[in-house]
Amino acid sequence: MKTIYYYIPFINLLIAALLGLLLRAAYVFPFDGFTFLYVLHGHSHVALLGWLYLLVYVLLVDQFAVDTPKEHRFYRRLFWMTEGTVIGMAVTFPFQGYAAPSIFFSTLHIICSYLFVYRLWRRGREGNQQQQLWMKTALFFMVLSTLGVWCLGPAIGMMGKVSAFFQLCIQFFLHFQFDGWFFTAFIALLYPYSFSASIPQQAFKKGYVLWIVSIVLTYALPISWYVSAPSLYYVNGVGVVLQAIALYKLIQPLLKNAKDKSTTSIWENLLFFLAISCIGIRLVLQLLTLVEPFAVALKGLRGWIVGFIHLNMLGIFTALGLWLLIQKGKILLTIWTKIGCICLVLGFILTEGLLGIQGIQQFLQVPWLDAYSILQLLFWFSVFLPVSVVCFLIGNRKVERGNRIDVGAHGHVPNNMK
């Protein structure tokens, strides 16, 4: 896909980052004129469906779609339809929250995602069968996760928004989006960098089955927040252990291949190390949920919940996405993109560290830093995140202009414009 299709998700990320900064500013510089919850909905929807979904969309199309004009035309049109729904959500959620217009655009986004799944599943490029299976599994989980959204209406009608059923529907969507759809999609996208050829079938089946079972079982943790059943902690525990084993099997060859590459730049290594470190931290946090008091308290520790979501969104998926874009030549390492990498890593580490401290203070009930100081620091450290996106946008724009000049001067299309 052309450079513009890799450029648009960054614009969505900038919108999400600015909305997030507005939310942090509301704690430090109180002002009227907006509803916090509405802006939060806008921030989360644009980040998840505008940045991460469309980033994975273009990466999957680039790697798995059939390279024909007809297929290119379909994915281009579907991309702009999907982007239209994101813009719709960006301008309706912050002002109305869940209302008819925002629900319309959210529903239309789901329909667009179904069209994407159908086309890529039926007409995907033939290739490595193991990689194809990971890709189709990710698409399956994406469709599965939307069942939680379709159940929200009946949940509100029967039991209301404060019911356990309503909350479980939301958690179902989020769990299978993050652990099922996005995580599995990145496994498929990283496969060429992890395994130069197909791994032995028996070993592949073990790792694949462990991963699928672990995703299903770890949904027991959010269920335990709303359903009183001690057995759920054991089910989650089994899922966490299986997921740790599966991730170890997947990460080990990726680390080995990365170590063998002598041409990798320090910036690629920075993003790669950030993603791998965050996967390790994620596993440690999941293993801590094996301790029942901690798992119970987790529901009320908002700092840790927000931190865990950002750990996945920024630390793992965004870092891996940027790493893949650099690997594929969709992002060039200009001075702007290097500054963007530094700001992203700084903003992420500083804000995650503060959210971690906030959660520890709530859990242990010890006042290391007063609440207002943490909120102030969170706001100022969060400034790094939209700044990093602006740098990536400027860097990408320079790449796009350079490609146009190259086409005009040499009469051919560079690889990163195809």
Side-chain angles (χ1 to χ4, degrees):
M1 299 184 77
K2 292 184 179 180
T3 307
I4 185 66
Y5 298 100
Y6 294 89
Y7 190 81
I8 294 299
F10 281 96
I11 294 178
N12 296 334
L13 179 59
L14 179 60
I15 295 171
L18 290 173
L19 290 175
L21 192 62
L22 177 62
L23 293 171
R24 295 264 164 90
Y27 288 108
V28 182
F29 313 106
F31 52 90
D32 298 324
F34 80 101
T35 303
F36 186 92
L37 189 60
Y38 292 173
V39 176
L40 179 61
H41 289 324
H43 166 71
S44 59
H45 279 78
V46 175
L48 189 68
L49 305 178
W51 160 242
L52 195 51
Y53 175 89
L54 282 179
L55 174 65
V56 174
Y57 178 104
V58 293
L59 287 170
L60 287 177
V61 169
D62 181 69
Q63 193 155 315
F64 293 100
V66 177
D67 189 11
T68 64
K70 182 179 179 181
E71 293 301 298
H72 289 173
R73 187 164 54 251
F74 171 84
Y75 288 113
R76 285 198 303 269
R77 290 174 177 173
L78 184 59
F79 177 93
W80 289 116
M81 283 179 60
T82 308
E83 174 61 15
T85 68
V86 173
I87 298 301
M89 287 184 277
V91 298
T92 54
F93 270 114
F95 299 102
Q96 294 180 300
Y98 278 101
S102 58
I103 292 172
F104 168 77
F105 287 117
S106 302
T107 304
L108 192 56
H109 189 286
I110 293 176
I111 294 171
C112 288
S113 70
Y114 288 169
L115 293 173
F116 173 63
V117 169
Y118 180 80
R119 191 74 166 206
L120 195 60
W121 190 296
R122 293 290 300 274
R123 302 190 185 185
R125 187 186 305 166
E126 295 295 329
N128 184 291
Q129 291 185 351
Q130 294 177 4
Q131 189 183 11
Q132 291 282 326
L133 182 58
W134 282 116
M135 180 268 289
K136 290 185 175 181
T137 303
L139 296 179
F140 167 79
F141 276 125
M142 196 263 281
V143 174
L144 179 67
S145 71
T146 61
L147 294 180
V149 178
W150 296 124
C151 289
L152 287 176
I156 295 172
M158 291 187 295
M159 303 180 187
K161 287 186 178 181
V162 296
S163 67
F165 183 32
F166 178 82
Q167 296 299 328
L168 287 174
C169 290
I170 294 176
Q171 294 298 330
F172 185 92
F173 172 74
L174 292 175
H175 177 78
F176 286 104
Q177 277 275 306
F178 280 111
D179 285 32
W181 158 225
F182 290 124
F183 221 130
T184 310
F186 273 103
I187 291 173
L189 290 166
L190 289 167
Y191 208 85
Y193 306 94
S194 300
F195 310 102
S196 55
S198 297
I199 62 175
Q201 195 63 19
Q202 188 174 2
F204 168 78
K205 284 183 178 179
K206 286 181 180 179
Y208 177 80
V209 171
L210 284 176
W211 179 252
I212 303 303
V213 173
S214 73
I215 291 173
V216 175
L217 295 183
T218 48
Y219 178 57
L221 178 61
I223 294 177
S224 69
W225 295 342
Y226 307 99
V227 178
S228 180
S231 60
L232 290 171
Y233 297 109
Y234 300 108
V235 172
N236 174 63
V238 173
V240 168
V241 172
L242 294 180
Q243 194 164 101
I245 296 170
L247 280 173
Y248 174 77
K249 289 179 176 293
L250 292 166
I251 291 173
Q252 194 178 29
L254 184 60
L255 287 170
K256 183 178 182 300
N257 282 7
K259 201 174 183 179
D260 293 341
K261 286 187 177 181
S262 57
T263 57
T264 305
S265 70
I266 186 174
W267 306 101
E268 293 170 88
N269 287 334
L270 178 66
L271 292 169
F272 182 81
F273 179 76
L274 175 64
I276 297 301
S277 299
C278 288
I279 291 174
I281 294 170
R282 172 195 159 103
L283 283 174
V284 171
L285 293 174
Q286 286 181 299
L287 288 170
L288 286 175
T289 62
L290 300 181
V291 182
E292 188 174 335
F294 178 83
V296 173
L298 187 62
K299 180 186 174 183
L301 299 176
R302 187 178 180 279
W304 277 359
I305 292 175
V306 173
F308 187 77
I309 293 172
H310 287 178
L311 181 78
N312 287 277
M313 282 287 296
L314 296 173
I316 299 176
F317 300 137
T318 296
L320 284 177
L322 292 172
W323 184 81
L324 282 168
L325 290 175
I326 294 172
Q327 293 290 311
K328 292 174 177 290
K330 307 301 180 182
I331 290 180
L332 299 184
L333 289 172
T334 65
I335 183 64
W336 286 105
T337 53
K338 291 174 182 177
I339 294 173
C341 287
I342 293 172
C343 290
L344 174 68
V345 174
L346 271 177
F348 171 76
I349 291 175
L350 292 172
T351 54
E352 286 292 286
L354 282 173
L355 289 170
I357 291 171
Q358 188 181 59
I360 292 172
Q361 288 189 169
Q362 291 174 347
F363 184 66
L364 299 178
Q365 296 183 344
V366 290
W368 293 330
L369 288 173
D370 66 272
Y372 186 68
S373 295
I374 291 178
L375 293 174
Q376 280 185 312
L377 290 171
L378 272 174
F379 169 75
W380 291 112
F381 290 159
S382 297
V383 173
F384 281 111
L385 299 175
V387 169
S388 72
V389 184
V390 170
C391 291
F392 284 120
L393 283 169
I394 295 173
N396 281 0
R397 192 65 182 168
K398 287 182 176 294
V399 170
E400 187 178 5
R401 286 176 180 172
N403 286 334
R404 288 174 182 170
I405 293 170
D406 192 41
V407 172
H410 303 290
H412 70 276
V413 180
N415 289 333
N416 64 346
M417 286 287 286
K418 292 181 179 178

